[in-house]
Amino acid sequence: MLTTTIGKKIIQRRKEMHCSQQRLADMCGVTKRTIASYETDGRQPRESTLKKLAAALGCSVDYLSNDTLTEFCTPTKEELYLTNVRDMYGRETADEIETLLKGSAALFAGGRLSQEAKDRYYEALTSAYMACKKAENKDRD
């Protein structure tokens, strides 16, 4: 079975994008030395950094983290959605929403909903979550 390490995948995508180690490091909020360490497979990125790497490199988290996936995979709509939520509301909120989405994944078993309907569900769930969080903060004040 063919395998490709995360380091090789990072190098390949970075070069395809004509992106320096420093530029990728800046995009992910890490140092150039950290990127170099990932590329030589000296270190494995934390989950939060892995998500940032995938977003910066325009690939899925699964593609980067699974050595048996040798064909390039674009990010899923859910990954793109969570990246946007992370940018807007922060890591903690995005992680909590991701947990909610994973917990409700059974609702979509069998593919009964279109991707557009699922996207609307993600947005509605996020809105409901944010409304609850806002109300909770208001109650504390």
Side-chain angles (χ1 to χ4, degrees):
M1 175 184 287
L2 285 175
T3 62
T4 304
T5 66
I6 188 172
K8 289 178 183 173
K9 291 175 183 178
I10 293 170
I11 292 168
Q12 180 182 358
R13 285 296 299 152
R14 185 175 58 75
K15 288 183 177 181
E16 288 171 355
M17 296 171 59
H18 306 287
C19 183
S20 68
Q21 285 181 334
Q22 185 61 59
R23 174 79 175 114
L24 182 58
D26 293 343
M27 293 167 69
C28 296
V30 297
T31 65
K32 178 181 174 183
R33 187 175 186 172
T34 299
I35 296 297
S37 181
Y38 296 157
E39 289 185 351
T40 60
D41 295 310
R43 263 176 78 184
Q44 292 293 310
R46 293 184 199 153
E47 187 175 341
S48 60
T49 305
L50 183 64
K51 290 175 183 177
K52 291 175 186 176
L53 278 167
L57 295 170
C59 61
S60 70
V61 171
D62 283 342
Y63 168 73
L64 280 183
S65 61
N66 187 338
D67 290 351
T68 61
L69 291 178
T70 57
E71 295 294 320
F72 175 74
C73 300
T74 58
T76 64
K77 287 192 176 202
E78 184 177 335
E79 285 177 323
L80 292 172
Y81 178 76
L82 288 169
T83 297
N84 288 337
V85 170
R86 192 170 286 104
D87 291 345
M88 290 172 55
Y89 302 111
R91 182 187 56 82
E92 185 177 322
T93 297
D95 289 347
E96 289 175 354
I97 290 172
E98 182 176 18
T99 300
L100 287 170
L101 291 173
K102 285 180 179 177
S104 62
L107 294 172
F108 306 122
R112 286 178 249 148
L113 292 178
S114 68
Q115 186 60 50
E116 185 177 324
K118 289 178 188 177
D119 292 344
R120 284 196 304 264
Y121 171 77
Y122 297 154
E123 292 169 12
L125 184 61
T126 301
S127 294
Y129 174 86
M130 294 308 295
C132 289
K133 192 169 185 171
K134 192 177 208 178
E136 184 177 316
N137 287 339
K138 190 175 182 181
D139 289 345
R140 286 185 197 159
D141 295 340

